[in-house]
Amino acid sequence: MNFTATPGTRERVTLTEVGTRDGLQSEPALVPAAVKAGLIDAMIDAGLRHIEATSFVSPRAVPQLADAHDMLALVHRRADAHLAALVPNARGAERALGAGVDEMVCFVSASEAHNLANLNASIASSLSNVGEIAAVVNGAVVNGAVPLRGAVACAFGCPFEGEVDVDAVLRIVEAYARLGIDRLTLGDTTGMATPPTVARLVEAVRKRFPEQRIALHFHNTRGVALANVMLGLDLGIREYEASIAGLGGCPFAPGASGNVCTEDLVYLLEESGFSTGIDLDALIGVAQRMEGIIGRTLPGQVMKAGPRLRKHSLDGARRAVG
């Protein structure tokens, strides 16, 4: 296996930041819209160009994101920074269009039990909703086309059903393909992915849908998220989703802890010879800012230790020892 970029090159890896959506949706406290918008502005200033900023779900289901429209209006938008939003149905898609999002994300779980817990609907019903979302997107003329991404939740395992069959994932990918959705995220919603399961699923999707663009979304529940990324890199995947400071977890799945950490992932990629276009020191600052807002220690490691070659004062080290 080759886990580094091709010698003599710095291949680009695209990261999508999901902290203000996937991260904050699980927090008990409500973070004000202006604070969230400020975090997104700081992420953009640090070099992040793809941010899944919020979700247009029912405010009753996810009150932490009830301010989606108002929050997006506070972000300092720029042409080279793309803001996405999760949408569960046609009404959510209409609201997202009204807020001027650059991309929408629909989602269906590969597990019937998780889909019921997460969306209160069967997989078949959720796919019907996706068809309605696609119709809204395709029928809208708002500054040109708005891309629609299809995410598959619990693609690598389910806390209710256990192993998820590859064919269950492929059926959802096929449904997305029939609707013209050519952007796909395979989601490890509860941190059950391992390098062998990642290889098996990615290879199966590529065999059936060779032209399909794939992004990977890992959670670090069992401490192997970065190992899964390394395997993904070896398979040629160049798109990943991550959350600032490792914030996050699925509120509708027991035992699901935070996402793979953005700044830890940036550090790994840059040290492995890939390019992200992200200023790691600036991103660490955003992670520390998020930790202060949340008010507890978050799982990110690089935000605590700093980059590998960061130098420290010898006098300070002596005082710490003595």
Side-chain angles (χ1 to χ4, degrees):
M1 294 185 178
N2 177 21
F3 296 131
T4 58
T6 303
T9 73
R10 284 188 65 83
E11 295 176 71
R12 189 63 172 251
V13 174
T14 299
L15 298 186
T16 295
E17 170 61 45
V18 300
T20 55
R21 197 282 299 172
D22 200 359
L24 293 181
Q25 73 174 6
S26 302
E27 291 298 313
L30 301 182
V31 177
V35 174
K36 286 185 276 196
L39 283 165
I40 292 172
D41 286 339
M43 292 170 181
I44 294 171
D45 288 344
L48 279 160
R49 291 294 177 264
H50 298 269
I51 300 171
E52 190 176 301
T54 188
S55 175
F56 285 88
V57 297
S58 165
R60 292 187 301 277
V62 187
Q64 295 89 338
L65 304 180
D67 59 0
H69 191 285
D70 293 340
M71 187 276 287
L72 287 172
L74 295 173
V75 176
H76 294 98
R77 305 291 291 269
R78 43 189 286 177
D80 64 342
H82 306 283
L83 301 187
L86 198 69
V87 297
N89 50 39
R91 174 60 184 144
E94 290 167 353
R95 291 171 57 210
L97 284 173
V101 300
D102 301 304
E103 181 182 43
M104 282 187 264
V105 182
C106 59
F107 61 103
V108 178
S109 179
S111 155
E112 196 73 60
H114 179 263
N115 206 75
L116 184 62
N118 194 26
L119 296 174
N120 196 30
S122 67
I123 290 175
S125 177
S126 292
L127 286 172
S128 178
N129 271 338
V130 172
E132 294 173 4
I133 292 168
V136 169
V137 172
N138 293 334
V141 182
V142 182
N143 297 325
V146 176
L148 179 61
R149 176 178 293 275
V152 184
C154 286
F156 302 96
C158 170
F160 307 113
E161 297 182 5
E163 204 73 65
V164 169
D165 193 78
V166 167
D167 285 340
V169 178
L170 293 177
R171 284 193 290 272
I172 296 172
V173 178
E174 183 174 18
Y176 286 160
R178 286 199 302 268
L179 292 168
I181 299 173
D182 63 356
R183 300 176 183 214
L184 172 68
T185 295
L186 299 175
D188 178 30
T189 310
T190 62
M192 295 177 71
T194 61
T197 62
V198 173
R200 183 165 62 245
L201 184 56
V202 168
E203 288 165 358
V205 172
R206 280 187 166 155
K207 182 177 180 180
R208 181 82 66 86
F209 308 96
E211 302 303 317
Q212 179 67 66
R213 292 172 51 184
I214 299 173
L216 296 175
H217 174 121
F218 294 121
H219 284 234
N220 201 37
T221 309
R222 292 167 178 84
V224 295
L226 290 178
N228 291 329
V229 169
M230 293 297 272
L231 191 281
L233 291 169
D234 191 54
L235 293 171
I237 302 296
R238 297 295 184 261
E239 248 186 279
Y240 297 88
E241 298 180 358
S243 179
I244 195 78
L247 188 66
C250 177
F252 305 104
S257 61
N259 298 55
V260 65
C261 175
T262 310
E263 61 276 12
D264 292 1
L265 181 52
V266 169
Y267 172 76
L268 174 70
L269 291 169
E270 296 284 348
E271 285 286 326
S272 300
F274 294 94
S275 170
T276 63
I278 296 168
D279 181 330
L280 181 58
D281 284 326
L283 194 63
I284 288 171
V286 182
Q288 292 168 340
R289 180 172 168 181
M290 177 66 88
E291 188 172 71
I293 291 166
I294 299 302
R296 69 172 190 280
T297 300
L298 294 176
Q301 295 298 303
V302 173
M303 65 186 285
K304 301 178 182 71
R308 179 173 64 91
L309 296 179
R310 175 177 288 175
K311 296 179 181 178
H312 301 271
S313 165
L314 183 57
D315 287 342
R318 285 172 175 157
R319 284 196 298 270
V321 173

